[in-house]
Structures are given as structure tokens and as C-alpha cells.
Amino acid sequence: MLSLWVLASSVNGYASSRLYGAYDGASQRKLVTMGSAFLFPGLSFSIFFSLNFAVWMSGSSGAVPFTTLLLLLFMWFGVSVPLVFTGAYIGYRRKAVEFPVRTNQIPRQIPPPPFNIPQWVYIMLAGILPFGTVFMELVFLLNSVAQSQVLYVFGLVSIVFAILIVTCAEMSVVFTYLTLSNEHWAWNWQAFLTSAASGAYMFAYTQYYLYTQPSFGTTSLVSIMLYSSYSLIMSSAFALLTGCVGYYASSWFVFTIYSSVKCD
Amino acid sequence: MGTSRHISLILVVLTVACLAWPCQGFYLPGIAPIDYASGAKLEVMANKLTSPKNQLPFDYYSLGFCGSEDKKSYRSRPVNLGQLLVGERMKPTHYDLAMRRMGSCKVLCSKTFTEREVKMFKMRIHQEYAVRLNLDNMPVVMKARTGTGAPAYHFGYRIGVEQDKKHYINNHLKFTVLYNEPSADGSSFNNLELDTAPEAGFRVVGFEVVPFSTAHKGTTEAELMNTTCPVSEKIPPQEVVAGKPVTFTYDVDYVLSSTRWATRWDPLLAANPELQQIQWFSIINSLMITLFLTALVGTVLMRTVLRDFVRYNQLEDEDEADETTGWKLVHVCRARYLAAFLGNEKFEPGVYYSASDIFLPFLALMFSAGRCVPCPREATPSSNLCRVRCTDYLYDYCHSCFCAAGFSFSCESWRSTFRHAFIVGSCVLC
């Protein structure tokens, strides 16, 4: 699994460069590529290293030995980052995605939203549904962690994953359509955040689960830190996944409806 | 085209390569079954101590078990990266197990704990830590039954029990090794397995344990034979105290099992049947929600498209004002309109050729751009009039735009009005 994650960094670089090429494409290439190589892995690694230090201080055997840490660092800097750059290089060389219609240079003023409901309310509401689809699996996952039992449900999880993808895509499309109907043309971040908000709910639920455990009062601080940090990493990865799916679905939707306009 | 050609070429090359050379397969390390002859030594490896209440694992030899006094010689065997990251180790133990050689009350060691060791034991027992051992990569499990009678397995056995503020240690273990004899089973599947020793090979397919806390009265096997062996629950438990010797003992029993080596993990991984039912229910629930969402998206789009189609049809016939709001605006055609007006002579007669036509489209775009959407309906008559003319211009503008763009064949047909409904997008992006 680790090697799969490392190899997937090339897809990371390619996807980010293609996306950037579709919008701006020239001025900030270095920043975009470095960001995609270092942002999320950097956060995960720094959390992991500080957690490891805390675990080592408490004398647990769960602390990863120093040589393994060096190996992990090598896997990141030596393999993952060059793969990201390679993927980005290939992505930049390809022809950029063209918009079906011209864009205006002067941004139009965005009218106030209907009933004056701010945008973040829609985003928080939209996050509930994708979270609801994975909620049951999350409960079983946390239960199995708490009871140290093995959960072997790959078939069911893959079905739930397919349902999750479809739900995220549709939620994002619906909300993007509503946004455009309100002449709010800045749909990009909205499309990403509507689906990504489910990660926030996932994190909230893992913390709620922790506090409602009967053994909460007697658990050590390091153990709570370990649990919370790993659930943070898991929730942010989930948010990135769902946000990405939602964003691509929305951009496909927008491109489709605008390319049926034959004006120019 | 180019990529599909490349892919087919690669596939052809791979197929030829697979068929051309005879392959010699090999098992990856750790995946091949190990055959033990009768009497062959079975190695019990100590993994870690885990607790359901705590996320931190601890080393087996961090407590005062047999062999912990000489930590340096108990280095872990090499494990792969994933196991290392989750804190799994393979440390040797002194358990003397031989395939199909039963044992009873075998003494592991007799130890006297120091105060510090007693303190550590009490802390770990209080935190409900369990010992994880491995035999031939099978974890030691405690078998139990669920409420419905299905077997359930717990990984590892508890170090000890706390009762009435006293801490009792599980110093006697009753091991049951389940083994399978592949040569006795004449099924064709087994005959395909490589490296089968047909005569005397036995494979480990299960490793179960039942822990006991027994206050042994002696330290050697001879002494135990007369007193506390065989171990049962009637014997009083062993308390963790410093200064007095504690004897660690174990029994070994070998049971022939019909579980094949390839499926030896299945009983441990099989989920609770109730659990499966709940999961299926939640999946169907999510599926319903997804279908509802799909219906919603489809309905919204269909209604919008049809509504615009009907509205633009009515506009053409009745030539009346209608508040075009939202994304139903034309922006991008502005430049085309101007260019057409100034340079193109092929306009439809319906377009107004007055001098104010240069400015009014801009006004049209401004007013009917929905900036007045939140405005109250009782707008001033002038703006209303303006709006009337604006939307009028708007429609003609669009129509002429399309006609000038070369869709003259469909100018009068419903297709152009259908496309009008989708002009919106350009307005928002433009």
C-alpha cells in the first residue's frame, strides 16, 4: 500500500499540472508543482514525526525506529517528489484544456444570495450527504479499532466507495447549478468545498466517538493524541478525495452546458 | 489513435513473451506454506502487548516475562515495512513446541519479580493489556461464542485480571495447535500446490489459547505433577507479588483440522452475520439517496431546459416582457452583435436599427442581468419600459446572433430557441 501511494504521486503531479494549465498555465507553475508535492505529504509527515516522538517518549514499542524513519523520508524525497515533478512535466507539455466559450476580462458583480444565506451554510449542509453514505462503515471501522478485531469487508467497502463517488459528484453538480443560477460565477472553490465538507463531518464524528467511549477518562494523553492525529490525517485525505471528485464532476458539468452554446 | 495503437502493441508483446518462454514460478517469502514433520520444532514468536483502551502497543519483554532479563539476545526477526510501522515485532520465546507432541504442565521458567516489575505488571493489568503471540504467522486467539452461537475470536490473551484491588496474572496457558494434513486430503486443489511433502508434512492452521491463573506450589515439573497439575479453574489464582517465585507453565494440545492452509485465516476474518446485515441495510439506504439525487439533478435540468424553451417560444409569439433572470443572459454575443450591426448586412428584419441600439443592449444586459432580481416588483415605469425594450432587444439580439453566426437554416426552427436556453452559461463565464 505504501508503494502504491508513492507511485501514485506521479498521477498527483500530472493532475495538478493539467488543472493549472487549464486556468492560468504559466505564471505560477513552480509553486503549483511544489505545492502538490509537499503540501499534503508534508502535513502528514510532520504530524507523523511529532506523534512518533511522543510515542517514543512514552516508551511504547509502537515508535518507529530511526532507520525506518530515514527510509520513509527517502521514500518521500527520493521517490515521491521526483515522480510528482515528472508527472507535472508531462502534464505541462500536453495541450491545455480549452474552454468552450470566451471568458470576460472584467469580473461581474455577484448579486447577494437568495434569502441572504451565506455560501458557507450551503457548503456545510452539502457535506452531510457524502458523510452519511460512509457513516456506517466508519462506525464499524472505529468499533473494530476499539475492540482490536479484524474487519474484513473489502467487498462492502468497495460498493460503498462507488456510492460515495456518485453521491459526491451529484451533490457538487446540484450545488454548482444552483450557484450559477444565482449568477454567482465563482463556482470553483464552492464545487470543491461542497464535497470536501464531508471530511469535516468525518473528523467530528471520530472525535465524538472518542468522547463517548467508556474508557475515555482513563486513556493516556498520548493515546488520545495518536487517535486524534490519525483521524485528522484520515479526514483530510477523505476531504481531498471527495472534493476532487466533486470538483471534476462540476467542471465537467459546467463545460458540458457551456459547450452546447454555439455563439462564437 | 496513437495511444490505442501503442497499447495494443504492448499487449501483443506481453502475450508473446508469456507464451514463448517456460516460466518457473516461485513463492514470495512469507507466503509459501511451511510443512512440519512430526516432532519438528514450532517457534512461538512474541509480538506485542495491546489494549482495547489504549492505542499504544508495548514490547512483550518490557514486562517481567520469562526471558526479559536478557533483552539483548531477544532481538526481533526482520519484519516488513508495514508491520514495522504498526509496531509489530517477531521476538523469540522459550516455548518448546514440537509438532504433534502433546505436552502437559511444561515449565517455561520460574521467576521472582522485583518491585519495579510488579508495579509494571499491575499497571498493564489495570489497563487491560493482552499478549499477542504468533505461531507460523498465525496469531494466538481466544475462542468464544457470540449470543447467537457463532464462534468469535479475540486476538491475544489478557496478561491478568484485576479483582477487588488485587492483580492476578495468567501464568498458565493451554495452547491448542490446529494442524492440517494436506497429503491425506485427496482433492485436486491440494495436488496443485507446489512444495508439498506428501509423506510427513503438517501445516499449522490455527493457534488457540485458554489462559489460567494458577498459584503453583513448586518450580519444577516433578513438583507440579503432584500438586497443581493438571491445571483447572478450581485451583486458586496467582497473585502478582514481589519476592515469591512465580512459575510460568503451559500445556500443548494438537488437533487435526479440516481447514486448509490456504483458507486458515477465514474463520478469524469472517464478520458477524448481524454486522453484515446492518451493512447491507446501510448500503441500500445510501443507494436510495443516490437515486434520489440523480432524479433531482435530472428533474432540475429537464425543467429548466423545457421552461426556457417554452418561454422563448412565447416571447417570439407574444412579444411581451418577461423577466429574464439568473443565467439566462447573453453576454458573449455582445461583440458579435456590434460587429454584425456595423459590418454585416444579413440581419433579420426584426432587429431594430435605431441609433440607440448600440447603447441599449448594454442597458439590457445590465437591467435584465437580474441586478433587479432582489428589487421589488414595483419598479419605476421608466425602468419597466426599459426592461421591456431590453428583453425585447435581448431576444432579437440572440436570434440575430445565431442567424448571423450561420445557423440560418435553423433560424426559424425550434433548435435555435432551444439553444437560447443554454446561452446563460456564456453569460456567467463571460
Side-chain angles (χ1 to χ4, degrees):
Chain A
M1 249 168 54
L2 273 180
S3 30
L4 274 179
W5 179 81
V6 166
L7 289 175
S9 327
S10 52
V11 179
N12 171 14
Y14 180 77
S16 65
S17 64
R18 288 277 285 167
L19 196 62
Y20 183 61
Y23 285 104
D24 186 359
S27 53
Q28 301 268 25
R29 278 189 183 185
K30 238 189 206 161
L31 190 67
V32 165
T33 319
M34 302 275 274
S36 59
F38 290 110
L39 195 65
F40 183 66
L43 277 175
S44 310
F45 266 89
S46 38
I47 292 177
F48 175 69
F49 282 172
S50 40
L51 269 182
N52 202 41
F53 184 72
V55 167
W56 176 71
M57 287 291 287
S58 69
S60 162
S61 71
V64 173
F66 186 62
T67 45
T68 316
L69 285 182
L70 286 181
L71 176 69
L72 283 176
L73 269 179
F74 168 72
M75 272 173 77
W76 181 27
F77 280 111
V79 183
S80 169
V81 168
L83 277 179
V84 169
F85 287 155
T86 315
Y89 176 70
I90 297 173
Y92 283 130
R93 268 165 57 110
R94 283 193 61 168
K95 201 162 77 79
V97 178
E98 278 189 4
F99 292 127
V101 288
R102 273 190 310 115
T103 55
N104 206 3
Q105 293 303 318
I106 308 163
R108 300 181 59 209
Q109 189 184 2
I110 299 169
F115 308 112
N116 279 332
I117 299 174
Q119 205 180 11
W120 59 267
V121 174
Y122 287 119
I123 289 173
M124 290 317 285
L125 279 179
I128 295 178
L129 207 57
F131 171 68
T133 56
V134 299
F135 170 68
M136 218 62 218
E137 298 300 322
L138 186 64
V139 167
F140 289 138
L141 182 82
L142 292 175
N143 275 339
S144 73
V145 165
Q147 294 159 17
S148 59
Q149 282 183 339
V150 176
L151 204 61
Y152 189 67
V153 283
F154 289 119
L156 291 172
V157 165
S158 55
I159 295 175
V160 169
F161 181 69
I163 294 178
L164 171 73
I165 298 289
V166 171
T167 311
C168 282
E170 286 182 351
M171 285 298 290
S172 193
V173 163
V174 166
F175 275 87
T176 309
Y177 172 72
L178 290 175
T179 312
L180 290 180
S181 298
N182 292 327
E183 297 158 41
H184 187 33
W185 47 264
W187 60 269
N188 290 292
W189 275 106
Q190 156 112 3
F192 178 78
L193 288 173
T194 27
S195 299
S198 49
Y201 283 101
M202 175 179 266
F203 181 66
Y205 184 73
T206 51
Q207 297 312 299
Y208 167 76
Y209 186 85
L210 177 69
Y211 293 142
T212 54
Q213 283 292 94
S215 60
F216 178 61
T218 55
T219 331
S220 67
L221 182 66
V222 178
S223 179
I224 293 178
M225 261 175 56
L226 207 67
Y227 176 83
S228 304
S229 316
Y230 279 136
S231 58
L232 180 70
I233 293 179
M234 183 173 77
S235 310
S236 22
F238 183 76
L240 283 178
L241 167 77
T242 51
C244 166
V245 165
Y247 180 75
Y248 277 116
S250 290
S251 74
W252 170 84
F253 173 73
V254 166
F255 272 44
T256 310
I257 63 172
Y258 289 170
S259 50
S260 53
V261 174
K262 297 286 191 292
C263 222
D264 272 332
Chain B
M1 244 337 147
T3 31
S4 65
R5 267 218 312 266
H6 282 146
I7 289 170
S8 43
L9 185 67
I10 290 169
L11 281 174
V12 164
V13 168
L14 277 176
T15 321
V16 168
C18 285
L19 293 172
W21 289 279
C23 303
Q24 189 127 34
F26 61 93
Y27 277 105
L28 288 175
I31 300 183
I34 303 178
D35 289 305
Y36 297 95
S38 272
K41 180 166 167 51
L42 294 170
E43 279 183 326
V44 176
M45 314 297 282
N47 193 353
K48 54 184 172 178
L49 306 173
T50 55
S51 162
K53 290 165 69 167
N54 211 341
Q55 294 294 319
L56 296 173
F58 284 97
D59 190 32
Y60 178 72
Y61 289 117
S62 65
L63 290 183
F65 289 114
C66 294
S68 61
E69 55 278 348
D70 189 15
K71 284 200 187 138
K72 283 232 166 48
S73 70
Y74 287 92
R75 296 194 64 139
S76 166
R77 300 274 169 81
V79 294
N80 63 42
L81 183 62
Q83 285 178 301
L84 211 58
L85 287 177
V86 298
E88 296 211 348
R89 306 281 185 268
M90 277 177 58
K91 299 206 164 172
T93 58
H94 272 320
Y95 289 105
D96 179 27
L97 265 59
M99 176 56 85
R100 300 217 307 171
R101 299 278 185 266
M102 316 256 182
S104 175
C105 272
K106 292 169 90 156
V107 172
L108 189 62
C109 77
S110 188
K111 265 192 89 161
T112 309
F113 296 132
T114 62
E115 281 292 344
R116 197 174 164 277
E117 282 172 345
V118 165
K119 198 157 108 41
M120 288 293 287
F121 264 114
K122 286 187 176 175
M123 187 162 65
R124 297 292 177 234
I125 291 173
H126 177 70
Q127 289 170 336
E128 293 180 25
Y129 269 87
V131 178
R132 303 268 192 118
L133 303 174
N134 282 334
L135 175 67
D136 193 27
N137 276 325
M138 282 300 284
V140 73
V141 290
M142 279 179 62
K143 198 168 172 180
R145 297 249 158 220
T146 63
T148 52
Y153 295 94
H154 290 281
F155 288 94
Y157 64 91
R158 293 268 294 266
I159 298 175
V161 172
E162 187 182 357
Q163 213 174 30
D164 304 326
K165 297 279 201 259
K166 289 191 180 175
H167 300 84
Y168 300 101
I169 185 172
N170 287 328
N171 57 334
H172 179 81
L173 301 172
K174 219 173 237 187
F175 291 122
T176 306
V177 178
L178 302 172
Y179 68 98
N180 177 250
E181 198 178 351
S183 57
D185 190 355
S187 72
S188 60
F189 182 79
N190 276 330
N191 290 335
L192 287 176
E193 288 182 69
L194 302 177
D195 303 332
T196 308
E199 286 87 30
F202 300 102
R203 293 174 181 166
V204 173
V205 295
F207 189 37
E208 291 170 15
V209 72
V210 181
F212 289 91
S213 183
T214 319
H216 285 303
K217 299 251 177 14
T219 53
T220 62
E221 272 193 50
E223 286 172 25
L224 294 173
M225 274 307 180
N226 301 326
T227 50
T228 46
C229 246
V231 171
S232 70
E233 280 164 5
K234 297 195 202 78
I235 304 175
Q238 173 73 54
E239 203 180 334
V240 180
V241 285
K244 281 198 286 194
V246 173
T247 314
F248 288 92
T249 53
Y250 59 100
D251 296 338
V252 196
D253 191 18
Y254 292 87
V255 173
L256 183 66
S257 163
S258 57
T259 313
R260 286 206 317 270
W261 186 89
T263 56
R264 62 181 186 164
W265 273 92
D266 285 2
L268 303 182
L269 298 177
N272 220 349
E274 289 99 7
L275 230 64
Q276 279 179 331
Q277 277 175 349
I278 298 172
Q279 283 178 325
W280 278 116
F281 173 72
S282 87
I283 285 174
I284 291 172
N285 204 17
S286 309
L287 212 60
M288 292 295 127
I289 294 174
T290 311
L291 285 175
F292 164 74
L293 267 183
T294 317
L296 182 71
V297 168
T299 313
V300 162
L301 284 181
M302 284 298 294
R303 263 187 39 203
T304 316
V305 163
L306 284 175
R307 187 178 54 191
D308 289 345
F309 173 57
V310 166
R311 183 181 293 171
Y312 278 109
N313 260 342
Q314 285 176 342
L315 218 57
E316 186 173 355
D317 300 337
E318 296 154 21
D319 205 26
E320 65 177 21
D322 200 2
E323 188 172 306
T324 45
T325 61
W327 56 308
K328 300 168 194 55
L329 299 173
V330 178
H331 272 219
V332 77
C333 295
R334 180 187 349 176
R336 286 288 303 177
Y337 178 78
L338 279 179
F341 175 72
L342 295 171
N344 205 331
E345 299 294 319
K346 291 188 210 126
F347 267 159
E348 294 289 307
V351 178
Y352 297 82
Y353 280 110
S354 56
S356 59
D357 276 312
I358 303 174
F359 307 106
L360 276 175
F362 291 95
L363 282 179
L365 297 169
M366 269 173 52
F367 276 98
S368 54
R371 288 169 87 78
C372 276
V373 167
C375 293
R377 290 262 170 188
E378 52 273 55
T380 60
S382 57
S383 72
N384 252 343
L385 185 66
C386 204
R387 193 181 298 166
V388 169
R389 281 216 61 187
C390 290
T391 52
D392 203 5
Y393 278 122
L394 225 60
Y395 172 69
D396 283 332
Y397 181 67
C398 292
H399 202 159
S400 62
C401 179
F402 277 146
C403 296
F407 287 85
S408 46
F409 64 94
S410 62
C411 246
E412 302 301 323
S413 73
W414 65 274
R415 272 188 212 278
S416 57
T417 50
F418 184 74
R419 284 194 203 283
H420 287 171
F422 285 98
I423 288 176
V424 294
S426 62
C427 305
V428 182
L429 256 191
C430 299

